[in-house]
Amino acid sequence: MSATRIRQQNLAAVVELLHHGGPQARAALTETTGLNRSTVGDLVAELVSHRLAEERAPDAARRAGRPSPVVALTSHAVAIAANPEVDALTVAAIGLDRTILARARIVWDAEASPALTATLLGEQVRSWRSTLLAGHRLVGAGIAVPGLVRADDGVVRDAPHLRWRDVPLAALVRRETGLSTGVGNDASLGALAEHRFGAARDADDVVYLNGGASGIGGGVIVGGVPLGGAGGYAGEFGQNRPGIEDAADRRVPGGVLEDEVNRTRLLTALELRDADDAELSRALGAADAPAALEEIERQRRILATALANAVNVLNPGVVVLGGFLASLAGRDLEGLAEDVRAQAMSACAEGLELRLASLADDRLLVGAAELAFAPVLADPLVETTVA
Amino acid sequence: MSATRIRQQNLAAVVELLHHGGPQARAALTETTGLNRSTVGDLVAELVSHRLAEERAPDAARRAGRPSPVVALTSHAVAIAANPEVDALTVAAIGLDRTILARARIVWDAEASPALTATLLGEQVRSWRSTLLAGHRLVGAGIAVPGLVRADDGVVRDAPHLRWRDVPLAALVRRETGLSTGVGNDASLGALAEHRFGAARDADDVVYLNGGASGIGGGVIVGGVPLGGAGGYAGEFGQNRPGIEDAADRRVPGGVLEDEVNRTRLLTALELRDADDAELSRALGAADAPAALEEIERQRRILATALANAVNVLNPGVVVLGGFLASLAGRDLEGLAEDVRAQAMSACAEGLELRLASLADDRLLVGAAELAFAPVLADPLVETTVA
DNA sequence: ACCAATAAGTTGTGCTTCACAACATACTAC
DNA sequence: GTAGTATGTTGTGAAGCACAACTTATTGGT
């Protein structure tokens, strides 16, 4: 810890507070950082001079005393966020103030190859650079991939849905875009997004489970920090084997959670062919056929055990459910919470809250952008653009 | 981050390196901290002046250049570590250099009440203070309790073995000893000890499972930091419900891991009455009766599934097994590791190592002492003694 | 309309701590 | 014995923050 790093840390603390907590009075920053007024004033001035922040007229204060100017981050620093899926590549440009400056959905018919992904991203970035993003500063790219990702070098180990294996995606994208690029698992980035800006904003220990068409993904926040693990693969709840008390509840011998708690099975039981999550939620709410109700209850039983296992080990304050798991739980969220508490250690389940995910479609892009913003949040004055 | 805290952090970094890594050359400290030679020299001098460290003659170096003095922590700063069990209270005085200066085992016949525990601890501390520990500085007490402990205020929520419920143990001990006191779950502190000084010294992501007479306890290290969770109750693997593929393997309907993987069942199958872990290990190695072998294999199957679940979620680099689980696994550690890998996601299990716990009897006391040393490691010049 | 109270911005000084450079020291190897 | 090397030691300088004194802007009471 050298004398120069102290500045870096303090600037980072201010930027992080603004990024997480949104615009706020300079006096509030003084309060929460514990730094001196004069120091905070200086820090903010430096951020303003680098166009990372702005000072605005004070809010209509109802307090005595001199009003404190409101400090807000700008959208000058921009991250490129991307999310490749089977049918399309979604790209967005997101400012440090979390405004979405641009967004594109590029549908692909042919196979979604990593090279194509990188090329399309490169083109999109070039196009935006000269138009919408002229004058902005691109700080990096973040990509949310539905699959296993090695955190340190951004290699996609296995994304079955996309049929990618051992793809050095970060390197490919860096070459095409000239941006320093981070790659992460989609569910882990969803967890990060829900923690920072969504349903679990107030909790520092969070378990997030997302039910997708292809399986169940998860992410964990521990003490406010994303849980990575030794290789960065942590959070694979979908491959767990939870206890199934009644053998008749088992559908797949030797199967895992996502074989049993499964979107397709749910659709079949509801006699639906194709449905998005909103339709599925409606159908679940309206279901009354005995076979459908039985399947719903079966999946809820197994999910409750899986959640209880997670709660015993991680003792989260909040569990967030997204995708079809939100639909499944939404029928009776408190009832599911009770089932979880009944199977978890009482102390671990004390004060546990189950919540539905709240960030809708932007979740993955917001999470991916966080990946790109990480260096800026750690050291706001770094120059990150690579090429 | 103020100018005064920077000193604190640098001193803490040096003390932590020495505490973790043992005595080492001052030049090594310079290297790993990245600080300037002159700064490190100054930091060490300050630690020496506070009697926290000593400088010794350089090791017989076989390198060119001026030899660098070896810096070592002293035993001047001392923690009181305690571990109440059904039959006895174990107490030790442990130096910051991890030497065990004193140790006592106080057997109790009557019920082990929290008040008695505090009183006995107070007496022991007073007695040692005037004799063995004269001239030393007591920095605090740490207590490893077999049960659920609320981390922030040191209240024992439930220790079934001791029949303690909602006991404000930290407060009681603080009153009797005059020491600032931390309380933790025994398995969590065991995990911490194995991570810092034992079998998982080299790993930053660790799962530790300990098999005791009364159940299975666990602790998790994530990114080098103990996993606490929202209430500090994390790591209760024993209450999990792992999948049991063959219904015939289930012994307790609706039961949990520690009902199925269980020391008593193992002893029964081996036709042993009473045995310590060493005897149990021997018996397990020698077992050849079909019924015994079948029970051993049954428990190993269920344990493997439970470990695979943990590996999927936490992606640890090392899993450490202690107590009777070490005995159970020790028969064929690599075989068990294979079974775990077969059920976990391949990437999560990549490079996973299963190891046996290595700190023997001192593990819990060492872990408890770490609890007491935490304030010193965070701020070496702090004055911690309370009364 | 004015004045006290309050809260926060602004400015200048001083202290702490570290980095750096120049020099001194102790050891290896030839 | 001398060259080479790595490290300790000492003194100077700069960065960054705290603090105090002062200034500014608002509320609320008279």
Side-chain angles (χ1 to χ4, degrees):
Chain A
M1 185 67 46
S2 74
T4 64
R5 283 231 156 134
I6 202 170
R7 210 9 132 72
Q8 196 187 95
Q9 283 217 358
N10 286 338
L11 286 167
V14 170
V15 170
E16 198 172 317
L17 279 171
L18 293 170
H19 185 63
H20 288 200
Q24 53 198 290
R26 208 160 87 190
L29 295 175
T30 305
E31 174 84 15
T32 46
T33 58
L35 295 167
N36 194 279
R37 289 202 294 255
S38 53
T39 308
V40 174
D42 198 43
L43 292 168
V44 170
E46 187 156 12
L47 293 177
V48 169
S49 83
H50 282 76
R51 307 187 54 186
L52 288 169
E54 284 172 350
E55 285 199 304
R56 299 201 291 242
D59 279 333
R62 50 187 58 75
R63 269 212 316 253
R66 176 171 179 172
S68 189
V70 170
V71 186
L73 294 178
T74 67
S75 62
H76 182 245
V78 171
I80 300 298
N83 174 222
E85 290 173 295
V86 235
D87 55 339
L89 171 68
T90 313
V91 194
I94 302 183
L96 188 56
D97 61 349
R98 276 158 45 212
T99 55
I100 297 185
L101 301 168
R103 176 198 260 290
R105 187 175 161 86
I106 306 168
V107 179
W108 43 35
D109 303 321
E111 185 129 327
S113 79
L116 181 59
T117 305
T119 307
L120 290 172
L121 259 172
E123 281 172 16
Q124 188 60 263
V125 167
R126 263 190 300 282
S127 145
W128 280 345
R129 253 199 158 116
S130 52
T131 55
L132 286 168
L133 300 182
H136 290 260
R137 177 183 145 220
L138 290 182
V139 298
I143 309 179
V145 174
L148 287 169
V149 176
R150 195 196 291 142
D152 53 0
D153 60 357
V155 167
V156 177
R157 296 299 309 285
D158 189 15
H161 223 48
L162 300 168
R163 298 200 198 156
W164 293 0
R165 283 196 66 130
D166 292 310
V167 172
L169 187 61
L172 289 175
V173 173
R174 186 181 309 122
R175 197 180 315 150
E176 290 297 323
T177 62
L179 297 170
S180 76
T181 302
V183 182
N185 170 264
D186 56 354
S188 298
L189 293 175
L192 182 60
E194 290 289 347
H195 162 58
R196 294 217 174 138
F197 312 118
R201 232 190 145 110
D202 54 339
D204 269 352
D205 295 272
V206 182
V207 168
Y208 169 74
L209 251 65
N210 186 68
S214 54
I216 293 177
V220 181
I221 306 289
V222 168
V225 179
L227 169 61
Y233 306 118
E236 293 295 334
F237 291 92
Q239 294 291 313
N240 268 12
R241 292 165 214 274
I244 299 178
E245 200 179 338
D246 185 348
D249 273 356
R250 168 153 279 155
R251 293 286 171 275
V252 179
V256 298
L257 177 64
E258 63 190 19
D259 294 326
E260 303 287 344
V261 178
N262 183 291
R263 197 173 196 278
T264 308
R265 284 182 196 286
L266 216 47
L267 291 179
T268 307
L270 291 167
E271 297 180 339
L272 288 171
R273 184 66 68 85
D274 229 12
D276 62 22
D277 282 337
E279 292 175 71
L280 178 57
S281 281
R282 267 194 302 278
L284 280 164
D288 54 0
L293 292 175
E294 169 49 28
E295 175 63 11
I296 293 170
E297 282 309 310
R298 186 191 71 86
Q299 293 206 14
R300 285 171 59 104
R301 279 195 292 276
I302 297 175
L303 178 61
T305 304
L307 289 178
N309 285 350
V311 165
N312 282 333
V313 171
L314 298 163
N315 184 208
V318 173
V319 171
V320 177
L321 297 173
F324 86 83
L325 294 180
S327 309
L328 186 62
R331 254 180 87 91
D332 175 16
L333 192 62
E334 201 37 50
L336 182 62
E338 277 310 312
D339 289 352
V340 172
R341 288 197 194 98
Q343 291 187 70
M345 290 221 79
S346 57
C348 288
E350 232 168 47
L352 172 70
E353 276 191 67
L354 247 60
R355 295 185 193 162
L356 304 182
S358 72
L359 290 177
D361 293 339
D362 295 333
R363 188 185 310 125
L364 295 188
L365 295 173
V366 168
E370 290 303 296
L371 212 51
F373 283 134
V376 178
L377 292 174
D379 181 3
L381 308 186
V382 275
E383 291 302 325
T384 34
T385 313
V386 163
Chain B
M1 184 69 44
S2 72
T4 63
R5 283 230 158 136
I6 202 170
R7 213 356 118 97
Q8 198 186 96
Q9 283 217 358
N10 285 338
L11 285 166
V14 170
V15 170
E16 197 171 317
L17 278 170
L18 293 169
H19 184 63
H20 240 117
Q24 53 198 289
R26 208 160 86 191
L29 295 175
T30 304
E31 174 86 15
T32 46
T33 58
L35 296 167
N36 193 281
R37 288 203 295 256
S38 53
T39 307
V40 174
D42 197 42
L43 291 167
V44 170
E46 187 158 11
L47 292 176
V48 169
S49 82
H50 281 78
R51 307 187 55 186
L52 287 169
E54 284 172 350
E55 286 199 305
R56 299 202 290 243
D59 279 334
R62 46 188 58 74
R63 270 213 317 252
R66 180 172 176 172
S68 190
V70 170
V71 185
L73 294 178
T74 66
S75 61
H76 181 245
V78 172
I80 302 296
N83 175 222
E85 291 173 295
V86 236
D87 55 338
L89 171 69
T90 313
V91 194
I94 303 184
L96 188 56
D97 60 348
R98 277 159 44 212
T99 55
I100 296 185
L101 301 168
R103 177 197 259 289
R105 187 176 161 84
I106 306 169
V107 179
W108 41 35
D109 303 323
E111 187 130 324
S113 79
L116 180 59
T117 306
T119 308
L120 290 172
L121 259 172
E123 281 172 16
Q124 187 60 264
V125 168
R126 263 190 299 281
S127 142
W128 279 345
R129 251 197 160 118
S130 53
T131 55
L132 284 169
L133 301 183
H136 291 261
R137 176 184 145 218
L138 291 182
V139 297
I143 309 179
V145 174
L148 287 169
V149 177
R150 194 194 294 141
D152 53 0
D153 60 357
V155 167
V156 178
R157 295 298 310 285
D158 189 15
H161 223 49
L162 299 168
R163 298 198 199 159
W164 292 0
R165 285 196 66 131
D166 291 310
V167 171
L169 187 61
L172 290 175
V173 173
R174 186 180 310 121
R175 195 180 316 150
E176 291 296 323
T177 61
L179 298 170
S180 76
T181 302
V183 181
N185 169 265
D186 55 352
S188 298
L189 293 175
L192 181 60
E194 290 289 346
H195 161 58
R196 295 220 173 134
F197 311 118
R201 233 190 144 110
D202 54 340
D204 269 351
D205 295 272
V206 182
V207 168
Y208 167 74
L209 251 65
N210 186 67
S214 53
I216 293 178
V220 181
I221 307 289
V222 167
V225 179
L227 168 62
Y233 306 119
E236 291 296 333
F237 291 93
Q239 293 291 314
N240 269 12
R241 296 175 158 77
I244 299 178
E245 198 180 337
D246 186 347
D249 273 355
R250 169 154 279 155
R251 293 287 171 274
V252 179
V256 298
L257 177 64
E258 64 191 17
D259 294 325
E260 302 288 344
V261 178
N262 184 292
R263 195 173 196 278
T264 308
R265 285 182 196 285
L266 218 48
L267 291 179
T268 307
L270 291 166
E271 297 179 342
L272 288 172
R273 185 67 69 86
D274 230 14
D276 62 22
D277 282 338
E279 292 175 69
L280 178 57
S281 281
R282 268 195 301 278
L284 280 164
D288 54 1
L293 291 176
E294 169 48 28
E295 175 63 12
I296 293 170
E297 283 309 311
R298 186 191 70 86
Q299 295 205 13
R300 285 171 60 106
R301 278 194 292 275
I302 298 175
L303 178 62
T305 304
L307 289 178
N309 285 349
V311 165
N312 282 334
V313 171
L314 298 163
N315 184 209
V318 173
V319 171
V320 178
L321 298 172
F324 85 84
L325 293 180
S327 309
L328 186 62
R331 255 180 85 92
D332 176 15
L333 193 62
E334 201 37 50
L336 182 62
E338 279 309 314
D339 290 350
V340 173
R341 287 194 196 99
Q343 292 187 70
M345 289 220 77
S346 57
C348 288
E350 233 168 46
L352 172 71
E353 277 191 64
L354 247 59
R355 296 185 191 160
L356 304 183
S358 72
L359 291 177
D361 293 338
D362 294 333
R363 188 186 309 125
L364 295 188
L365 295 173
V366 168
E370 290 303 297
L371 212 51
F373 283 134
V376 178
L377 293 174
D379 181 4
L381 307 186
V382 74
E383 289 300 326
T384 36
T385 313
V386 163

